[in-house]
Amino acid sequence: MKRASVIGSGPNGLAAAIVLAQAGLQVEVFEAEAEPGGAARTLPLTLPGYLHDFGSAVHPFAAGSPFFSALPLADFGLEWIHGEAPLAHPLDDGSAVVLDHDLAKAERLLGLDGREWRRLVEPAVVHWSDFAEDVLAPALRIPNYPFRMASFGMTAFQSANSFARSHFTKPRTRAIFAGLAGHSFLSFDRPLSATIGLLFGITVHAVGWPIPRGGASALSLALVRYLESLGGTVHTSRRIDAAAFRELEADSAVVLFDTATRQLLAIAGERLKPDYRKSLEQFQRGPGVFKVDYALSQPVPWRSADCYRAITVHLGGTIEEIAEAEDAVARGNCAEKPFVLAAQPTLVDPTRAPERKHVLWAYCHVPNGSTFDMSERIEAQIERFAPGFRDCILARHVSTPADLEAADANLLGGDISGGAMTMRQMLFRPTSSGYATSTPNLFLCSSSTPPGGGVHGMCGYHAARLALKKAASNS
């Protein structure tokens, strides 16, 4: 086994390529777009001099990734920047709940709920390296630390609504937890919505919520440069279709797909067994996102000064309001008052905009493939907590679900998670065979495999290790 090919250069594809190159293989990566990185790209979407993250913007799981953390990415241009606090959640009374990186300080700021918050997250925070190895691995495996994972599962395996009611007494604490749980894309009465929320809360204290200096592309380019130092090659503007794949497979001992399941079917469907193809066709997409990037004349005029302490700001108000918004999406509707996830990177990274100017990254959840224009509703939510926001807008770039898919074919209907995070699709992602397909030399390594969405590279890492293991057993 001397030559390997990877289709797609998102963080998972690059992670897979690096694992294969570290094992001594000649690795080539093929990317359809002009720049590598998939959804982890930074682009000039509005005015000259303004740089906007196309997809991912804030990267707790990249900074805390067991695989990325083991690579010398700082030597290849990656620099993490942290805000004074990881997360702020403004409320209608003009205040904001802040979740501090320091766990002891967070305990004090959360008041009556602080002690319970610390009890919930501290074991995983203290043992983050070991915990991350287990939680960012396939669900259908024996954990390295089974008792710790069992304890986490028993605590977090609830709906977000029931978890918040049973653990927190203050509406402010419930509100900030609702924002964390909103990252699950799930209705708040569904299992796993609390699990995702607690996991995001753990990262606040374990690794923080940093951004790469210069934008998400800095992470992707650092991975590319490191891969090239190992002898690997990345080809951009090289879209692989079924005909090109046949040639590629003939020259490669193994091919890994950092693609959505639909792309795997379109490219290599004739090489897959009928039952496996049927399983992929039944794989459920997740909700989409509607995104707006802003060029601003000044920072967002938040009513609460605490919002300037954090790069990430969750906008949605109380847990009841956020639950209502996410429930609407789960029912196939667009929320009247959406839960908006916002990032303000230029507060700490002035390289993203002209002097004294700023950018804002904001999106909300919508039904997959939605065509409804959420721009006004997103801006209304920002204006709700930052009166005068509209007066600061110099330009905006709207990305509908269709626009996102056009710029990255893996984002089917605007799904940035690689498929719905239902219970079944957490255990069988995308099928019971995980990374392996029905063809021995073809593997799937995208976020449609365990552990799912997020910029952490662990899907690619595990897929590549499996490919190497199978190759060794067959030799």
Side-chain angles (χ1 to χ4, degrees):
M1 183 173 170
K2 298 295 183 182
R3 182 184 177 92
S5 297
V6 178
I7 300 174
S9 71
N12 285 311
L14 293 173
I18 288 170
V19 171
L20 297 171
Q22 288 174 329
L25 277 69
Q26 180 184 345
V27 183
E28 291 187 275
V29 180
F30 298 87
E31 169 57 48
E33 302 300 328
E35 296 182 23
R41 286 179 287 161
T42 306
L43 303 171
L45 298 176
T46 55
L47 301 175
Y50 292 82
L51 296 175
H52 306 270
D53 289 324
F54 163 71
S56 59
V58 183
H59 296 88
F61 290 104
S65 165
F67 181 57
F68 289 164
S69 298
L71 303 179
L73 297 181
D75 297 340
F76 294 87
L78 178 63
E79 178 187 353
W80 291 116
I81 311 175
H82 293 261
E84 183 183 338
L87 172 64
H89 187 114
L91 298 170
D92 286 320
D93 63 1
S95 69
V97 191
V98 175
L99 203 51
D100 202 272
H101 176 58
D102 181 79
L103 185 53
K105 187 174 181 179
E107 180 181 1
R108 293 195 300 273
L109 291 174
L110 291 177
L112 295 175
D113 290 323
R115 184 174 181 180
E116 176 66 0
W117 178 255
R118 182 166 193 156
R119 185 190 70 79
L120 289 167
V121 303
E122 188 169 36
V125 170
V126 171
H127 301 284
W128 170 257
S129 295
D130 297 334
F131 177 74
E133 288 276 2
D134 281 335
V135 80
L136 295 177
L140 297 178
R141 64 183 284 274
I142 299 175
N144 296 324
Y145 298 90
F147 294 109
R148 187 177 300 140
M149 284 300 293
S151 176
F152 171 76
M154 287 188 292
T155 299
F157 191 70
Q158 302 177 50
S159 72
N161 282 332
S162 63
F163 183 89
R165 285 195 302 268
S166 60
H167 291 283
F168 308 127
T169 60
K170 297 179 63 178
R172 294 171 64 85
T173 312
R174 292 178 179 179
I176 201 165
F177 180 76
L180 294 168
H183 286 265
S184 70
F185 284 83
L186 295 170
S187 169
F188 278 20
D189 62 0
R190 296 288 298 276
L192 295 182
S193 54
T195 311
I196 302 299
L198 187 58
L199 182 56
F200 270 89
I202 289 166
T203 63
V204 165
H205 311 296
V207 294
W209 284 19
I211 60 174
R213 184 179 296 279
S217 283
L219 170 62
S220 300
L221 292 176
L223 291 168
V224 169
R225 293 177 187 129
Y226 179 61
L227 173 63
E228 291 173 340
S229 76
L230 299 174
T233 305
V234 177
H235 305 280
T236 55
S237 301
R238 291 284 298 275
R239 190 175 300 275
I240 301 299
D241 57 15
F245 167 70
R246 286 191 288 271
E247 296 181 14
L248 196 67
E249 187 185 19
D251 292 335
S252 306
V254 62
V255 181
L256 281 77
F257 289 76
D258 181 17
T259 69
T261 54
R262 190 177 74 180
Q263 274 63 51
L264 174 58
L265 285 167
I267 296 169
E270 65 181 25
R271 293 280 289 121
L272 304 173
K273 293 181 179 179
D275 286 349
Y276 183 75
R277 289 202 305 267
K278 184 177 180 180
S279 295
L280 292 186
E281 290 166 354
Q282 295 173 343
F283 189 66
Q284 180 183 347
R285 299 181 188 181
V289 302
F290 186 102
K291 178 170 172 280
V292 186
D293 289 285
Y294 296 96
L296 303 177
S297 61
Q298 64 179 62
V300 179
W302 303 111
R303 278 196 294 167
S304 171
D306 282 333
C307 290
Y308 297 107
R309 298 178 56 205
I311 299 170
T312 300
V313 184
H314 287 164
L315 306 171
T318 65
I319 187 172
E320 291 80 11
E321 290 178 287
I322 296 174
E324 182 178 353
E326 295 304 285
D327 289 348
V329 176
R331 294 192 304 269
N333 301 316
C334 290
E336 290 286 340
K337 294 183 177 180
F339 168 54
V340 177
L341 299 93
Q344 42 188 2
T346 41
L347 291 183
V348 294
D349 183 7
T351 68
R352 311 269 193 104
E355 186 176 2
R356 297 184 181 179
K357 300 297 188 287
H358 290 267
V359 298
L360 183 72
W361 171 101
Y363 77 85
C364 69
H365 302 151
V366 294
N368 190 279
S370 170
T371 59
F372 186 83
D373 188 346
M374 293 292 289
S375 303
E376 177 60 32
R377 295 181 183 184
I378 287 175
E379 289 180 15
Q381 283 290 67
I382 301 173
E383 187 87 16
R384 171 183 171 185
F385 302 104
F389 167 71
R390 289 187 177 94
D391 297 334
C392 306
I393 300 172
L394 299 174
R396 59 173 65 78
H397 181 273
V398 172
S399 297
T400 67
D403 295 329
L404 294 172
E405 183 177 340
D408 183 340
N410 289 334
L411 306 183
L412 303 177
D415 176 9
I416 63 173
S417 300
M421 188 56 76
T422 62
M423 180 59 64
R424 188 181 190 285
Q425 291 191 177
M426 183 191 75
L427 297 174
F428 308 112
R429 193 167 183 87
T431 71
S432 58
S433 60
Y435 315 102
T437 71
S438 58
T439 304
N441 63 320
L442 306 183
F443 296 83
L444 188 62
C445 67
S446 68
S447 57
S448 296
T449 64
V455 180
H456 42 65
M458 297 306 291
C459 306
Y461 168 80
H462 290 298
R465 283 173 58 90
L466 178 64
L468 291 170
K469 181 179 178 180
K470 285 184 174 291
S473 66
N474 293 332
S475 62

